[in-house]
Amino acid sequence: MSKPVLTIFRVIATVEAVTWAGLLVGMFFKYVVVRNEIGVQIFGPLHGAAFILYVIIALIAWNRLGWSLWTGVLALVASVPPLGTVVFERWASVRGRIERTAPVGDGAGEPAGV
């Protein structure tokens, strides 16, 4: 059950980052280059939906994968800066902070030293 949640979390983290980048490019074109809103009109709603979906799946992953308070809070904070979700996912994966290491309910949901 935890592998699908982690996979979905990783996919949504990437989608959120890509839509954030698209929105930033759209805003650059809107305010600097051509004064056209099409990029913002497309990526604004896409990013809004991806952001909300990321927060929801991060909360679900936090619960189901037994993340520590620190890891869960960082996952949520990562949704604010552009590309933060991908940076968080890579950092947490390398450090072994988002993989489940023990079954839910035994109190050992984090690797040693976390």
Side-chain angles (χ1 to χ4, degrees):
M1 181 67 147
S2 64
K3 185 155 176 66
V5 171
L6 185 56
T7 301
I8 292 168
F9 174 78
R10 287 180 168 146
V11 168
I12 297 303
T14 302
V15 169
E16 196 275 345
V18 168
T19 60
W20 221 145
L23 182 57
L24 290 174
V25 170
M27 289 189 315
F28 176 75
F29 276 90
K30 176 181 177 179
Y31 294 112
V32 177
V33 179
V34 293
R35 309 247 186 251
N36 185 320
E37 293 188 17
I38 190 71
V40 174
Q41 289 173 340
I42 292 170
F43 282 101
L46 289 175
H47 176 66
F51 173 83
I52 291 168
L53 196 55
Y54 174 83
V55 170
I56 291 168
I57 194 64
L59 290 170
I60 291 169
W62 186 355
N63 179 289
R64 295 222 179 129
L65 300 175
W67 293 350
S68 69
L69 176 63
W70 177 245
T71 301
V73 168
L74 280 178
L76 294 175
V77 169
S79 66
V80 177
L83 308 178
T85 56
V86 170
V87 171
F88 167 78
E89 189 278 324
R90 299 288 178 223
W91 170 83
S93 290
V94 167
R95 303 246 186 222
R97 294 186 179 225
I98 63 173
E99 299 281 346
R100 179 192 295 279
T101 58
V104 172
D106 72 351
E110 282 292 319
V114 176

